[in-house]
Amino acid sequence: MKFNTKTIHGGQKPDAAYGSVMPPIYQTSTYAQSTPGGHKGYEYSRTHNPTRTALENAFASLENGKYGLAFSSGLAAIDAILKLLKPGDEVVSTNDLYGGTYRLFTKIYEDFGIKFHFTGMENAKRIEDNINENTKLIWVETPTNPMLNIIDIVSVAKIAKRYEVLLAVDNTFATPYLQQPLELGADIVMHSATKYLGGHSDLVMGALIVKDKDLAARLYFIQNACGAVCGPQDAFLALRGIKTLHIRMQRHCENGHAVAEYLAQHPKIENVYWPGFQNHPNHDIAKSQMKAYGGMVSFTTKGNNYEEAIKIVENLKIFTLAESLGGVESLAGHPASMTHASIPKEEREKIGVVDSLIRLSVGIEDEADLIADLKQAID
């Protein structure tokens, strides 16, 4: 089954009760049993819910995995991965990553005895410098948030296999439409389904997808035991969003390209970060492991002027100044004071998250309107 068909039919079948084409919202906490332990596959909705099962099947299908898990948020999904570890274990992570992930790593799990090494992974060989006998997990974002750095998943997967450590890839920015990390050697794929998978800025959710049965069993146990699951209403909304993922992503990519090209030619703009540019670091890797280059674009103004950056985002009319990304509407953010404020300033600036950096989530509006909006705000 081709990807565009999978978004609509992958892992899905009509509801058994009445043939409903869309999985019903099973808004229930518990299920009747004919005898203790005698049920139809569902006993309590923290453990399983038919609407969530349908969504988890869809997640697995999109990423060419075998097992999907839905959580109450992207951070809850990452939290479940970290609960595979124990005190004394170590993690090698990319140094350019979502601020909430960095906060979870450093402010929560370091206190539980997990050690994190943050390194630039544009050259995969740097990872090996941080691996030792305690390393149990490599954490990758690609493209990264917000600098859109590209990491070679195949090369990192070879390192992970050589040292027998797990490789988890946050695929939120790319989505399975553009990139499928399990096919490239990853063990776990994570999504903030709040973003492109849901696609309409109306839910908060996380997803994990794996191929290995034993790894899936460990994660399902954590999901049930800790209880950070999504509700059936959100599962229904995510299923609806997934059905248009392929056509939305086409427009996100087209508009992202147009916006990046416009910004690159603007005299007041210093740097534009977008993986589709031939001079973007690791562009050739992006070209080989991604179908297209996505709708995320970051840029800095000349002179690294904080006040100018704030003025731009405050004066946008069609781009909305807001957290998050991946919805049908275009959003603008100031990472240093919003999504990445939890990362110390000196650490942010080492990776390029300077005070003038603006991150755009380019939506599916008309590209001419988006460019006109950027023009009036910058000029």
Side-chain angles (χ1 to χ4, degrees), residues 29 63 148 176 271 351 353:
S29 60
E63 285 284 6
L148 299 166
N271 298 301
I351 59 175
V353 185

Side-chain angles (χ1 to χ4, degrees), residues 313 316 319-323 330-334 338 358-361:
V313 296
L316 289 164
F319 284 85
T320 301
L321 176 59
E323 302 263 358
S330 293
L331 301 178
H334 183 250
M338 296 171 69
I358 294 170
R359 189 193 72 181
L360 302 178
S361 172

Side-chain angles (χ1 to χ4, degrees), residues 69 77 80-82 84 137-140 166-171 181-182 185-191 207-211 215-216 219:
L69 299 90
I81 296 173
L82 295 178
L84 296 169
L137 174 68
I138 299 173
W139 181 263
V140 167
L166 289 173
L167 170 59
V169 176
D170 182 339
N171 202 31
L182 294 179
D187 299 294
I188 305 171
V189 175
M190 174 267 166
H191 286 275
L208 298 179
I209 304 97
V210 302
K211 285 186 174 181
L215 179 57
L219 289 168

Side-chain angles (χ1 to χ4, degrees), residues 32-346:
Q33 301 185 24
S34 57
T35 188
H39 52 76
K40 298 180 180 180
Y42 296 90
E43 51 188 335
Y44 190 64
S45 277
R46 185 191 68 248
T47 308
H48 296 103
N49 175 282
T51 316
R52 193 173 86 228
T53 297
L55 175 62
E56 292 175 331
N57 290 342
F59 284 155
S61 175
L62 290 177
E63 285 284 6
N64 285 342
K66 293 183 179 179
Y67 309 96
L69 299 90
F71 293 85
S72 55
S73 69
L75 282 170
I78 300 171
D79 181 71
I81 296 173
L82 295 178
K83 284 172 179 167
L84 296 169
L85 308 178
K86 63 181 186 301
D89 288 346
E90 299 189 12
V91 178
V92 181
S93 169
T94 181
N95 62 353
D96 176 27
L97 74 168
Y98 168 52
T101 305
Y102 180 89
R103 181 179 58 225
L104 180 66
F105 287 178
T106 60
K107 301 300 183 183
I108 303 296
Y109 277 93
E110 280 190 350
D111 288 346
F112 293 148
I114 309 297
K115 186 174 182 179
F116 296 88
H117 303 271
F118 298 95
T119 186
M121 294 184 177
E122 294 79 17
N123 181 348
K125 292 181 180 179
R126 293 180 189 168
I127 298 170
E128 295 190 75
D129 296 336
N130 293 278
I131 291 179
N132 58 50
E133 66 275 8
N134 297 319
T135 306
K136 297 295 186 292
L137 174 68
I138 299 173
W139 181 263
V140 167
E141 281 184 17
T142 183
T144 60
N145 182 3
M147 302 307 297
L148 299 166
N149 291 313
I150 300 298
I151 297 168
D152 186 343
I153 298 173
V154 171
S155 295
V156 180
K158 289 178 180 177
I159 294 170
K161 296 295 186 293
R162 186 182 312 138
Y163 291 94
E164 298 182 342
V165 301
L166 289 173
L167 170 59
V169 176
D170 182 339
N171 202 31
T172 300
F173 271 28
T175 81
Y177 176 77
L178 300 179
Q179 174 177 277
Q180 296 176 333
L182 294 179
E183 296 293 285
L184 300 173
D187 299 294
I188 305 171
V189 175
M190 174 267 166
H191 286 275
S192 174
T194 310
K195 315 303 193 298
Y196 286 107
L197 295 186
H200 293 78
S201 301
D202 56 6
L203 62 90
V204 174
M205 185 183 292
L208 298 179
I209 304 97
V210 302
K211 285 186 174 181
D212 183 78
K213 183 178 181 180
D214 291 339
L215 179 57
R218 294 169 65 194
L219 289 168
Y220 280 126
F221 177 83
I222 292 168
Q223 180 193 45
N224 181 50
C226 297
V229 296
C230 69
Q233 178 71 38
D234 283 348
F236 176 85
L237 289 172
L239 276 164
R240 185 179 66 172
I242 284 171
K243 290 183 184 296
T244 59
L245 175 65
H246 56 302
I247 55 176
R248 287 188 285 108
M249 287 306 300
Q250 289 172 11
R251 181 56 64 87
H252 284 300
C253 291
E254 292 167 1
N255 284 356
H257 187 178
V259 164
E261 292 283 2
Y262 171 75
L263 291 170
Q265 298 170 19
H266 198 290
K268 292 186 177 181
I269 303 305
E270 181 74 31
N271 298 301
V272 181
Y273 303 97
W274 182 66
F277 288 138
Q278 290 189 2
N279 63 352
H280 188 87
N282 281 354
H283 167 75
D284 288 342
I285 293 170
K287 188 175 180 180
S288 68
Q289 71 184 21
M290 298 175 69
K291 181 177 178 179
Y293 304 108
M296 299 300 299
V297 180
S298 294
F299 67 97
T300 59
T301 57
K302 287 189 175 177
N304 190 28
N305 189 305
Y306 169 82
E307 289 76 15
E308 187 173 359
I310 297 303
K311 185 177 179 181
I312 289 171
V313 296
E314 287 179 345
N315 281 285
L316 289 164
K317 307 299 182 185
I318 295 177
F319 284 85
T320 301
L321 176 59
E323 302 263 358
S324 199
L325 58 105
V328 293
E329 65 289 309
S330 293
L331 301 178
H334 183 250
S337 61
M338 296 171 69
T339 54
H340 291 66
S342 59
I343 301 176
K345 181 180 176 66
E346 61 273 16

